Amino acid sequence: MSDAVVDDAPAYPMRKAEGCPFDPPPGLRELQKQGPITKVKLWDGSTPWLITRYAEQRTLLADPRISSDTTQPGFPRLVPAPPGASGQVLSFIMMDDPEHARLRRMVTAQFAIKRVEAMRPAVQKIVDDQIDELLAGPRPVDLVEAFALPVPSLVICELLGVPYTDHGFFQDNSKVLIKRSVAPEERAAANARLREYLDGLIAEKIRRPGDDLLSQLTERIEAGELTVAEAAQMGVLMLIAGHETTANMIALGTFALLEHPDQLARLRAADDDPELVSRAVNELLRYLNITHSGRTRLVLEDIEIAGEVLHAGDGVIMANDVGNRDPEAFPDPDRLDLGRQARHHVAFGFGVHQCLGQPLARLELEVVYGTLYRRIPTLRLAAEPGRIPLKHDGFVYGVYELPVTW
Ligand code: HEM
């Protein structure tokens, strides 16, 4: 690619308050039509590669010559780095193997499909209790505050051993961390508060271990395999990833279904059809792709792909939201079709960093989508669809509020 093309690189099209609330930004679709790979310009003038097609995204995400280490010079930044970022303890999501694998392996067993499936009755009880509370409360009500946020927060608290009574504290700080428009200093301060909180919890678990994931990590600390700081940062990662993403899928998924009544009717009728509910979960994950800012990476060694050479030191952004709308991978991609087999979507990423919590997220969404609309069959929006506040400015897409009634 010539330098002139790089100079002319279009700005990376991020979501704005325009168009269909469920579709990727039109500018991104345009770039996808032009080809699988191009250069885009970020806020700091840097020009990383943008990968728009599904096949190339999967190929690159599985390539060990691509790094997730955000401390390396040239790593593409969607927002300014927090001050002193280089001295911070990183989450393993921002590390490469073997360090990434060493830490991830310490928690993979807790997220194995069988282990997670055993949690189904407990998750069903949480969902049923929250719906009971919803039905007993006033209406209209904001579904985000009253249901979408409490369900995954309760589940991840139970799994990690975090007291749910502290949800106001950790939800407020998570909100800061996943907002793009927040000042870097503010983001660093929110992370520090969460780290300090997790440090305290881990110290408590060392004194009085329970039957939870954080207590299991303290055994690793005592065996000298893990530092307290590493364990606390893992706790922060799992606590945030464990509730913010799923909460957004519950609320935005409900909005999308209410706007597609034919699809909602299929789901409501799927009482005895776990296969349809499971397909619906994957299809909504594909269609909504809430981790919409793309997977950022750095090239470690030259890589040839789609007629271009990605040089060592180049930044790369994998735009998974358009990858999931690639007609080569998903026929008629803009149609929400709950019966479609969409399990191969990239909404959970791909390769070594593919979402650790995906069995848990799938389980929670199956229980929620399979229960909520059946138990409240007249659920409907209590505001004009065009007035629902959307998280254009979030690293995770969703709705800030979803006023509903029944
Ligand atoms: C619908 C819900 C969810 C979505 C859409 C989602 C999406 C993602 C994506 C796209 C990645 C890959 C990041 C990358 O490649 O850079 C990821 C990683 C991760 N997710 Fe999730 N996630 C969800 C739920 C969860 C839950 C419930 C947990 C529970 C703890 C979780 C924990 C993690 C962790 C720890 C990683 C880092 C994995 C690694 O770097 O090896 N996620 N998630």
Side-chain angles (χ1 to χ4, degrees):
M1 184 169 283
S2 75
D3 288 349
V5 174
V6 173
D7 279 347
D8 288 354
Y12 177 32
M14 301 260 212
R15 218 175 212 127
K16 293 199 188 83
E18 60 188 23
C20 171
F22 312 119
D23 286 345
L28 216 43
R29 306 301 297 274
E30 274 312 307
L31 293 177
Q32 187 186 48
K33 276 187 203 141
Q34 288 165 25
I37 176 164
T38 186
K39 286 249 174 177
V40 285
K41 199 169 271 177
L42 297 184
W43 60 277
D44 58 358
S46 63
T47 50
W49 294 100
L50 180 77
I51 316 296
T52 57
R53 296 263 174 89
Y54 174 86
E56 283 78 7
Q57 289 177 2
R58 297 237 303 192
T59 303
L60 285 175
L61 284 169
D63 193 319
R65 293 169 296 176
I66 287 275
S67 166
S68 284
D69 179 353
T70 53
T71 61
Q72 300 198 62
F75 198 94
R77 296 213 169 260
L78 301 176
V79 294
S86 56
Q88 275 180 13
V89 176
L90 294 179
S91 296
F92 61 78
I93 197 169
M94 301 170 188
M95 291 179 187
D96 294 334
D97 287 348
E99 266 312 273
H100 158 263
R102 176 180 77 85
L103 294 169
R104 179 170 166 137
R105 257 201 305 269
M106 293 186 191
V107 285
T108 40
Q110 275 73 30
F111 293 95
I113 294 178
K114 253 191 171 161
R115 193 69 161 277
V116 167
E117 193 50 42
M119 293 170 68
R120 190 177 284 268
V123 172
Q124 183 70 57
K125 177 154 181 11
I126 288 174
V127 169
D128 282 334
D129 289 351
Q130 289 301 125
I131 295 177
D132 287 343
E133 263 186 50
L134 199 64
L135 288 169
R139 59 197 137 139
V141 66
D142 172 18
L143 194 78
V144 174
E145 281 298 318
F147 182 77
L149 208 44
V151 167
S153 289
L154 282 158
V155 173
I156 198 69
C157 280
E158 181 67 31
L159 187 93
L160 292 179
V162 170
Y164 182 69
T165 40
D166 293 339
H167 69 274
F169 166 79
F170 65 74
Q171 285 171 358
D172 285 352
N173 284 294
S174 309
K175 274 180 200 152
V176 175
L177 283 184
I178 63 160
K179 207 167 170 168
R180 264 200 319 248
S181 52
V182 158
E185 297 75 18
E186 220 184 306
R187 190 171 305 115
N191 189 52
R193 283 192 293 272
L194 283 165
R195 271 282 311 281
E196 199 181 317
Y197 172 70
L198 261 298
D199 272 344
L201 265 182
I202 286 166
E204 174 69 26
K205 304 277 176 194
I206 291 174
R207 281 193 299 274
R208 258 176 300 173
D211 182 19
D212 53 58
L213 207 160
L214 290 182
S215 297
Q216 284 164 25
L217 288 183
T218 63
E219 290 167 22
R220 304 276 188 166
I221 296 172
E222 278 158 5
E225 296 168 14
L226 188 69
T227 66
V228 173
E230 284 172 333
Q233 195 57 47
M234 271 162 96
V236 171
L237 171 64
M238 289 184 284
L239 185 58
I240 300 168
H243 75 274
E244 274 296 346
T245 46
T246 314
N248 282 299
M249 271 309 295
I250 294 173
L252 186 66
T254 300
F255 183 24
L257 287 167
L258 291 172
E259 290 296 281
H260 293 82
D262 56 328
Q263 298 302 310
L264 181 55
R266 284 176 87 178
L267 194 51
R268 235 187 245 124
D271 209 1
D272 293 322
D273 190 354
E275 173 61 21
L276 182 79
V277 178
S278 156
R279 283 184 182 225
V281 167
N282 280 310
E283 173 64 348
L284 283 159
L285 283 161
R286 175 195 78 83
Y287 183 71
L288 298 171
N289 201 105
I290 55 164
T291 52
H292 66 152
S293 345
R295 317 265 61 77
T296 46
R297 297 291 193 266
L298 190 83
V299 180
L300 296 178
E301 286 172 39
D302 291 4
I303 300 174
E304 258 189 74
I305 189 159
E308 297 283 358
V309 179
L310 280 55
H311 291 290
D314 286 353
V316 186
I317 302 173
M318 253 69 72
N320 288 162
D321 47 358
V322 276
N324 274 333
R325 298 289 186 101
D326 184 338
E328 299 275 319
F330 305 96
D332 197 4
D334 295 331
R335 193 158 62 86
L336 177 67
D337 172 6
L338 299 191
R340 173 200 304 267
Q341 184 48 276
R343 206 181 159 83
H344 54 297
H345 63 71
V346 280
F348 286 126
F350 192 67
V352 292
H353 288 279
Q354 192 172 38
C355 181
L356 170 76
Q358 59 172 299
L360 180 62
R362 282 205 166 94
L363 169 70
E364 291 181 62
L365 294 173
E366 280 171 19
V367 174
V368 166
Y369 296 154
T371 311
L372 180 65
Y373 321 116
R374 194 170 38 77
R375 284 201 55 197
I376 317 184
T378 56
L379 188 77
R380 60 183 186 277
L381 289 182
E384 282 299 310
R387 301 188 78 88
I388 305 295
L390 299 159
K391 293 184 176 172
H392 303 290
D393 57 344
F395 287 112
V396 181
Y397 187 55
V399 295
Y400 282 108
E401 267 176 49
L402 193 70
V404 292
T405 191
W406 50 92

